[in-house]
Amino acid sequence: MKNWWFIKGIKRGVITEKETKEIAEWSTEIQGSGEVNCPTNAIEKGRWDAKKCVFCRRCYPSYKPNMNPYISTVAKTEKLFKRSFYLFVVDSGTCGGCNLELKLIASPQYDMTRFGIFFTNTPRHADALVIMGVLTEKMKDVIKEAYDAMPEPKLVILLGACAISGGVIGNSVPVEATVIIPGCPPNPVTILDALRRVKE
């Protein structure tokens, strides 16, 4: 039974783990060698590009995940968000995978609120706009209106391979992002690590 962590936590007086011990194997850094037929060209000339990878496993066993979930890119930190960091999420055209993984960081196992990270239902209260999925025609105006409604300072976070590179089903979201979180879908540990680094 996987939920023993909850009972153990109550007995010891610890509600959440400091760091997550169990990490899903895929959507972590990939290493290997040789030429493979990658549908998104994430592996070219023996180099792996996390931003393009949809973790389809067509490169397996030549390339394997090495369990390193810290593959996000944070171009800028903002100390103003140190105490509270509010996220407004826009799904511009996902399969639902990124939604599920992002929701997981609010679960007791990851508990994003202990780091001062919260979701908000309005862009007017948001510090960061999180965009997931490929860019669909009717969501262009929605993304622009949400971004314009946010107060300064504000950040844009691209979550998942579809938003970053278009994946295998569409076009990427053409915005200048402060935070890039690769994965298909991204690992909750990767997401939480990137958000925490923004606040440093």
Side-chain angles (χ1 to χ4, degrees):
M1 186 174 173
K2 290 257 178 180
N3 292 331
W4 280 113
W5 62 269
F6 178 73
I7 301 204
K8 285 181 183 175
I10 290 175
K11 285 181 179 175
R12 288 184 299 178
V14 177
I15 298 173
T16 55
E17 299 171 335
K18 189 173 181 182
E19 298 293 337
T20 306
K21 294 174 184 168
E22 294 181 15
I23 298 172
E25 185 178 9
W26 289 90
S27 284
T28 61
E29 186 179 23
I30 288 180
Q31 287 181 320
S33 61
E35 292 299 317
V36 292
N37 184 18
C38 180
T40 59
N41 298 321
I43 298 175
E44 286 185 311
K45 298 177 181 175
R47 296 192 65 188
W48 176 66
D49 185 352
K51 295 174 185 172
K52 294 180 181 177
C53 188
V54 294
F55 298 89
C56 64
R57 307 182 192 195
R58 287 179 69 176
C59 58
Y60 186 83
S62 299
Y63 290 81
K64 296 178 183 176
N66 67 4
M67 303 297 286
N68 173 20
Y70 306 109
I71 55 175
S72 61
T73 305
V74 177
K76 178 184 167 190
T77 60
E78 181 57 64
K79 288 186 177 177
L80 192 63
F81 303 149
K82 190 170 185 174
R83 299 188 76 173
S84 66
F85 186 37
Y86 280 83
L87 311 173
F88 180 73
V89 182
V90 173
D91 181 341
S92 63
T94 69
C95 65
C98 290
N99 288 296
L100 291 173
E101 300 299 322
L102 184 62
K103 277 184 182 177
L104 267 180
I105 68 170
S107 69
Q109 186 174 3
Y110 299 99
D111 191 12
M112 66 182 192
T113 57
R114 65 186 161 141
F115 302 115
I117 302 168
F118 309 94
F119 292 124
T120 179
N121 291 325
T122 169
R124 296 189 186 282
H125 298 163
D127 301 311
L129 177 63
V130 181
I131 306 172
M132 306 179 290
V134 294
L135 183 64
T136 51
E137 190 63 32
K138 292 188 176 179
M139 291 303 288
K140 287 180 180 175
D141 292 339
V142 174
I143 291 170
K144 185 178 183 314
E145 286 174 16
Y147 183 78
D148 290 344
M150 291 167 59
E152 294 285 351
K154 53 190 172 184
L155 306 175
V156 174
I157 300 172
L158 293 181
L159 183 76
C162 289
I164 299 167
S165 66
V168 292
I169 58 173
N171 298 318
S172 61
V173 180
V175 296
E176 191 172 325
T178 308
V179 182
I180 304 283
I181 306 176
C184 187
N187 196 306
V189 177
T190 309
I191 299 170
L192 202 53
D193 170 67
L195 298 177
R196 289 173 64 187
R197 284 162 54 203
V198 171
K199 293 160 51 61
E200 291 176 352

